[in-house]
Amino acid sequence: MNITTILDQIDMGSIALPEFQRGYVWNREQVRGLMNSLYRKHPVGSLLVWETKTEQAVDHARGDGKLSAGTVKLLLDGQQRITSYYGIVRGRPPQFFEGNAQAFTGLYFNLEEEIFEFYAPVKMKDNPLWVNVTELMQKGVGLFIQHLLKIPEINAQLPTYINRLNQLEGIKNINLHIEEVTGEDKTVDIVVEIFNTVNSGGTKLSKGDLALAKICAQWPDARTELKARLEKWNKAGFDFRLEWLLRCINAVITGEAMFSALKDVDTATFQNGLHKAEKAIDTLLNLISSRLGLDHNRVLGGIYAFPVMVRYLVERGGQFKDHKERDKLLYWYVHTLLWGRYAGSTESVLTQDLHVLQSGDNSLDQLIANLRQNRGDLEIKAIDFQGWGMGARFYPLVYMLTRVHQAKDWDSGIELSKHLLGKNNSLEVHHIFPKSLLKKAGHLKSEVNAIANLTFLTQQTNLKISNRHPSEYFEAFEQTQPGAIATHWIPMDRSLWQMENYHEFLAARRELLAQAANKFLNSLLVGDIPEPKATDSISEKEVIEITTDIAPLGEEQVLEECNDWVQEQGLPIGDLMYELIDSTGRAIAVLDLAWTNGLQEGKSQPIALIIDADKQTEEAANNFGFRYFTDINAFKNYVIQEVLAIDFPLVNHYKQAFMAIRSQMTDGHKLMLKAHYNAPAQTITATELAQAAGYENYNGPNLQYARIGELLANHLGYLPPEREDNGKPFWSQVLASGYWKNLEDSKNNSQREWQWQLRPQVAQALEDLDWV
């Protein structure tokens, strides 16, 4: 079938994409390679479709497009190629599209060199030898031949160029071989297996994808219903993934961890399992929030213990017989979190623990016994608090102890277990020994962010302390709130409050934390902890109203902002604080941000971002096959240049454009460019630009920097991405790339500001012009 016919059939609804297929992940380089192969008539592979009745296809096809009557061909292998053809020929994505349309937008062909490139205005504008491929496909070669006939100096090459135009347009008529899977015996299970077999070089379906495909075959609204539950918990501050919810439902229905157990489950049973799992998860989240103080996603941890707890609770009609049984389950849960019970082979360990639940009334005791057997004992030791940063497993335990042991705010004396109200009363991570002082003293990042140097205070108190030395502010708070300091397990030996004794302070505090942790957890085990006051249901809680959310450390804020930026590019979200687990289940390193399946899932190697990493972490990332970056700007350049393959104007093009707009530029424009070029790492804030150009605040530079970008873009014929807030072109991105960053002043106060990093091409152009 030729490409034109294939595209027509997509428009008619005769060819569609099955629901279990993932989105479009190709970049510009892959699109260029495909078109080059088609132009030169190189093999590009066949397509595989599943031909099924329309009434059955409705349950499996992605998108809201209308399907043709009778039968429909669902595309199993060839989605990336077909989507690319469609986008280039039609000038828009197909109805089933999910991905980044920039990958196939603006493709041009050079009649002289016979190469494909994406639009570069200085090189291509007003050059008839550069042909807009989409325009050619839609309007035909006649229009372009007319343009060429008007240029006398190319008359000698005219026959060659016309042949090349015809060859380019002829791509639409290339026949692609289509293999068809047909027959009423071809169920979605069989088809998904076929998909995984033929797609061995691409993105295979995960076990969760396969399970969901089977469920959707019977219940088309399953994905929507599951996502609705995930969204509810997300609004309450808990970020779960669909595969996790499926595991909980599977545990309720079958008592098994393996998704294959859902094979013969009918729709009614699945819906009932979803209902029971949802109620049990709500109960557990309420319980963990009120009883343990783990009231949001950042400190929850151990989420793969939930299928076991959900199954346990559902088997008992959704209720515990008494508070001792309830607290004993929480004791088990906390220890699974601390010792990484499900950090390794999740399915095999879940299978083992779910099977324990079948042993009868003492199943909870057996779960705890199994943990002891694996650990030797469950006593927490001081050395267990030697980790650092928010990726460490014992970080949530410090937060938990702060919430349940009535730790007090040092300035106000208010118990931090309460739901505090007011903008300046949210909990924040506090460095007991200030970061600035520790860095000045030469301490490593791991020592600065050691768990034993972290506690939690209200924002108001944190701001009041600023970067004062602990020996100073401890004494002051002891006078105004006697005993409040000690409620945070601070050693009260004054000599340990001195900078030269920092390591001894950490060791002493670890001992105090270990003692408090063991006392609390042992009280859970025997049921001696008093009942907490009633709190709002988790389903009624909104993130924006939760004032006990902890503010992240500076590095984590940057990582979350980077993750947001990646999502804005149409790429998958990364895992924050991803643990690398060895064969024994031990965590050997924590990657700040990781994409285990690559940024083009299944088509690129694992990617990680590691800020200020030590040699051990870098070696671990390398041994696990990760391509890692230690600088956010280098990572973003990789995303733009290699993953998205977005081209920006060259240095010479910028130089020509700057010269062309020179008369329209003000002295303020030139001062800002000079300041940006000379800034550290050529990265600057709008406030700093304002200072350089003499503006009162950042509003002026924001407008005027955008004006420089707009003047350049108009000359270059380059259209930058749109702004999210108003949909207008983001003119400043012609000059620089940007990202949010938390900045600290000399008093350790933190403020979030937008950072502009000058594009290398712009910097070189300014240097060549001797403007800086």
Side-chain angles (χ1 to χ4, degrees):
M1 186 181 295
N2 66 46
I3 290 176
T4 296
T5 304
I6 291 172
L7 303 189
D8 289 341
Q9 291 210 1
I10 291 174
D11 289 335
M12 293 186 296
S14 298
I15 294 179
L17 195 69
E19 177 66 37
F20 55 72
Q21 277 262 37
R22 291 200 177 111
Y24 183 76
V25 297
W26 269 19
N27 63 25
R28 287 183 163 186
E29 284 303 306
Q30 290 162 311
V31 172
R32 285 201 318 131
L34 172 66
M35 293 302 290
N36 185 61
S37 295
L38 287 168
Y39 177 76
R40 301 184 188 283
K41 294 184 170 58
H42 295 166
V44 294
S46 61
L47 307 179
L48 180 67
V49 299
W50 170 26
E51 185 171 7
T52 185
K53 293 180 180 179
T54 299
E55 56 266 29
Q56 294 175 329
V58 168
D59 296 342
H60 307 301
R62 176 179 296 170
D64 299 324
K66 185 177 180 180
L67 301 180
S68 63
T71 62
V72 172
K73 294 180 175 67
L74 295 179
L75 187 62
L76 299 181
D77 187 42
Q79 179 205 167
Q80 308 299 322
R81 286 167 287 158
I82 289 296
T83 302
S84 300
Y85 303 148
Y86 192 101
I88 290 169
V89 174
R90 294 286 195 261
R92 65 179 190 278
Q95 61 188 18
F96 51 69
F97 182 77
E98 289 182 11
N100 186 357
Q102 288 186 359
F104 48 71
T105 302
L107 186 66
Y108 278 67
F109 177 77
N110 186 270
L111 293 173
E112 178 65 30
E113 301 179 42
E114 294 184 280
I115 59 173
F116 291 91
E117 288 187 15
F118 284 87
Y119 186 59
V122 173
K123 180 192 297 186
M124 302 177 185
K125 188 178 181 182
D126 300 325
N127 186 341
L129 297 184
W130 281 103
V131 175
N132 184 316
V133 178
T134 298
E135 189 177 3
L136 174 74
M137 294 296 182
Q138 294 180 352
K139 297 181 179 179
V141 299
L143 178 65
F144 293 90
I145 292 175
Q146 290 177 22
H147 293 326
L148 296 176
L149 288 172
K150 297 176 182 177
I151 309 173
E153 54 266 31
I154 65 170
N155 280 345
Q157 293 295 319
L158 191 58
T160 300
Y161 294 159
I162 292 175
N163 286 336
R164 290 173 180 174
L165 285 170
N166 285 320
Q167 185 175 341
L168 179 60
E169 187 186 31
I171 288 176
K172 294 192 298 185
N173 299 318
I174 290 177
N175 283 308
L176 300 178
H177 179 68
I178 298 180
E179 295 280 355
E180 295 186 359
V181 176
T182 60
E184 293 184 1
D185 62 318
K186 299 303 188 294
T187 63
V188 68
D189 297 11
I190 295 172
V191 169
V192 169
E193 284 189 29
I194 294 172
F195 171 84
N196 273 339
T197 300
V198 301
N199 202 34
S200 57
T203 304
K204 286 194 173 186
L205 294 177
S206 69
K207 294 176 181 178
D209 294 325
L210 177 57
L212 187 58
K214 293 176 178 178
I215 298 301
C216 288
Q218 303 173 26
W219 184 26
D221 294 331
R223 184 185 296 271
T224 301
E225 292 293 329
L226 294 177
K227 286 184 176 179
R229 273 64 172 186
L230 296 176
E231 180 62 25
K232 178 186 76 172
W233 293 317
N234 181 267
K235 288 181 178 179
F238 300 99
D239 184 19
F240 301 127
R241 299 193 178 183
L242 193 145
E243 182 257 0
W244 171 86
L245 178 53
L246 274 176
R247 287 201 185 278
C248 291
I249 298 169
N250 189 24
V252 168
I253 297 173
T254 70
E256 298 290 341
M258 305 293 286
F259 284 125
S260 57
L262 290 170
K263 179 181 178 182
D264 298 319
V265 171
D266 59 35
T267 299
T269 302
F270 185 84
Q271 290 173 335
N272 185 49
L274 169 59
H275 174 70
K276 290 181 176 179
E278 179 185 9
K279 288 188 65 177
I281 292 169
D282 283 345
T283 298
L284 290 167
L285 289 177
N286 283 324
L287 178 59
I288 291 170
S289 295
S290 61
R291 199 78 171 139
L292 303 180
L294 302 180
D295 52 7
H296 58 285
N297 195 69
R298 191 185 294 277
V299 292
L300 184 64
I303 64 170
Y304 280 100
F306 270 73
V308 177
M309 294 193 292
V310 166
R311 173 74 180 186
Y312 184 89
L313 189 56
V314 169
E315 283 187 329
R316 283 150 184 78
Q319 294 181 336
F320 298 101
K321 65 180 180 182
D322 55 35
H323 73 280
K324 290 188 175 182
E325 179 189 29
R326 177 199 60 196
D327 286 354
K328 188 181 290 188
L329 181 67
L330 291 178
Y331 172 86
W332 173 82
Y333 160 70
V334 172
H335 279 292
T336 65
L337 182 163
L338 297 178
W339 311 119
R341 173 68 173 167
Y342 301 105
S345 303
T346 302
E347 281 191 341
S348 61
V349 179
L350 267 178
T351 297
Q352 177 184 342
D353 289 345
L354 284 169
H355 286 178
V356 167
L357 299 185
Q358 301 172 10
S359 61
D361 293 337
N362 68 339
S363 58
L364 188 49
D365 292 327
Q366 185 59 50
L367 285 174
I368 295 171
N370 286 352
L371 274 178
R372 284 204 177 95
Q373 184 176 358
N374 292 337
R375 284 286 311 163
D377 66 70
L378 297 181
E379 181 183 1
I380 294 171
K381 300 175 175 61
I383 195 172
D384 294 323
F385 287 94
Q386 274 195 321
W388 61 278
M390 297 170 75
R393 290 175 182 166
F394 277 71
Y395 172 83
L397 182 57
V398 177
Y399 182 76
M400 184 191 311
L401 293 174
T402 302
R403 303 282 280 144
V404 302
H405 266 298
Q406 290 79 49
K408 295 180 179 180
D409 183 64
W410 294 339
D411 186 47
S412 66
I414 295 174
E415 290 183 5
L416 298 177
S417 60
K418 299 182 183 299
H419 286 274
L420 305 175
L421 301 175
K423 181 178 178 181
N424 294 325
N425 282 329
S426 59
L427 291 188
E428 287 193 339
V429 178
H430 171 70
H431 285 73
I432 299 167
F433 279 73
K435 288 188 289 183
S436 58
L437 298 182
L438 290 172
K439 290 177 181 178
K440 187 176 181 179
H443 290 278
L444 300 175
K445 176 183 176 181
S446 57
E447 295 176 323
V448 173
N449 290 332
I451 290 177
N453 190 40
L454 303 179
T455 194
F456 303 94
L457 296 172
T458 62
Q459 184 183 77
Q460 193 172 36
T461 300
N462 209 8
L463 289 171
K464 187 172 184 178
I465 293 173
S466 185
N467 66 340
R468 293 159 63 193
H469 195 287
S471 62
E472 175 191 345
Y473 72 78
F474 277 171
E475 292 290 2
F477 288 133
E478 271 297 285
Q479 295 296 319
T480 58
Q481 294 292 339
I485 294 288
T487 64
H488 290 245
W489 309 280
I490 302 296
M492 299 306 290
D493 180 348
R494 265 62 170 178
S495 67
L496 298 180
W497 298 355
Q498 302 301 320
M499 185 64 68
E500 61 269 22
N501 295 326
Y502 178 60
H503 289 122
E504 289 76 12
F505 169 85
L506 294 180
R509 188 163 189 254
R510 289 188 194 109
E511 290 287 350
L512 294 174
L513 287 169
Q515 292 171 18
N518 285 319
K519 180 179 179 181
F520 170 69
L521 291 174
N522 289 335
S523 296
L524 269 182
L525 181 61
V526 298
D528 284 347
I529 297 181
E531 289 295 311
K533 294 180 180 179
T535 58
D536 292 338
S537 168
I538 209 72
S539 61
E540 299 172 356
K541 194 172 68 168
E542 295 284 341
V543 171
I544 58 173
E545 297 175 359
I546 299 174
T547 52
T548 49
D549 267 354
I550 52 171
L553 302 178
E555 294 87 349
E556 279 74 18
Q557 182 72 39
V558 169
L559 292 168
E560 289 183 348
E561 290 160 357
C562 182
N563 221 354
D564 291 340
W565 178 84
V566 169
Q567 285 186 280
E568 289 169 5
Q569 313 311 310
L571 298 171
I573 188 172
D575 292 319
L576 282 165
M577 304 302 169
Y578 180 80
E579 287 185 333
L580 293 178
I581 308 298
D582 66 13
S583 58
T584 67
R586 181 175 62 94
I588 59 174
V590 176
L591 307 180
D592 292 331
L593 195 53
W595 290 264
T596 55
N597 293 318
L599 282 159
Q600 285 180 286
E601 293 191 352
K603 293 184 178 291
S604 60
Q605 71 185 103
I607 300 294
L609 188 58
I610 315 171
I611 308 299
D612 293 339
D614 54 31
K615 185 176 180 181
Q616 180 182 354
T617 301
E618 291 188 18
E619 288 180 352
N622 188 58
N623 291 337
F624 276 76
F626 280 84
R627 178 175 179 176
Y628 64 87
F629 298 85
T630 58
D631 177 79
I632 286 181
N633 293 324
F635 167 75
K636 288 185 175 181
N637 286 335
Y638 158 77
V639 172
I640 291 170
Q641 295 172 14
E642 296 189 36
V643 179
L644 301 176
I646 296 175
D647 298 320
F648 286 96
L650 302 176
V651 173
N652 285 338
H653 301 156
Y654 274 111
K655 287 167 63 177
Q656 294 169 20
F658 273 123
M659 292 303 295
I661 69 170
R662 189 173 189 175
S663 62
Q664 298 172 268
M665 293 176 60
T666 67
D667 290 339
H669 290 158
K670 295 172 184 177
L671 287 171
M672 286 191 291
L673 288 171
K674 187 173 183 178
H676 202 167
Y677 176 87
N678 291 298
Q682 295 185 330
T683 301
I684 201 167
T685 67
T687 300
E688 291 166 335
L689 285 174
Q691 294 169 352
Y695 291 99
E696 291 185 3
N697 56 51
Y698 58 80
N699 292 321
N702 279 339
L703 291 173
Q704 293 305 316
Y705 223 48
R707 177 57 180 162
I708 303 172
E710 184 177 7
L711 291 171
L712 287 171
N714 289 337
H715 179 78
L716 293 166
Y718 175 76
L719 186 64
E722 295 179 350
R723 295 178 61 99
E724 286 190 358
D725 53 355
N726 58 21
K728 295 180 179 179
F730 208 154
W731 298 116
S732 298
Q733 291 211 357
V734 179
L735 290 165
S737 59
Y739 58 94
W740 288 106
K741 183 177 182 179
N742 261 26
L743 302 176
E744 292 182 352
D745 59 23
S746 59
K747 296 183 178 179
N748 214 29
N749 295 327
S750 182
Q751 183 175 354
R752 192 168 181 252
E753 285 204 57
W754 185 262
Q755 303 283 299
W756 282 117
Q757 183 179 34
L758 201 63
R759 296 201 183 281
Q761 303 96 313
V762 176
Q764 189 61 53
L766 293 171
E767 186 177 322
D768 291 350
L769 291 169
D770 200 24
W771 285 14
V772 289

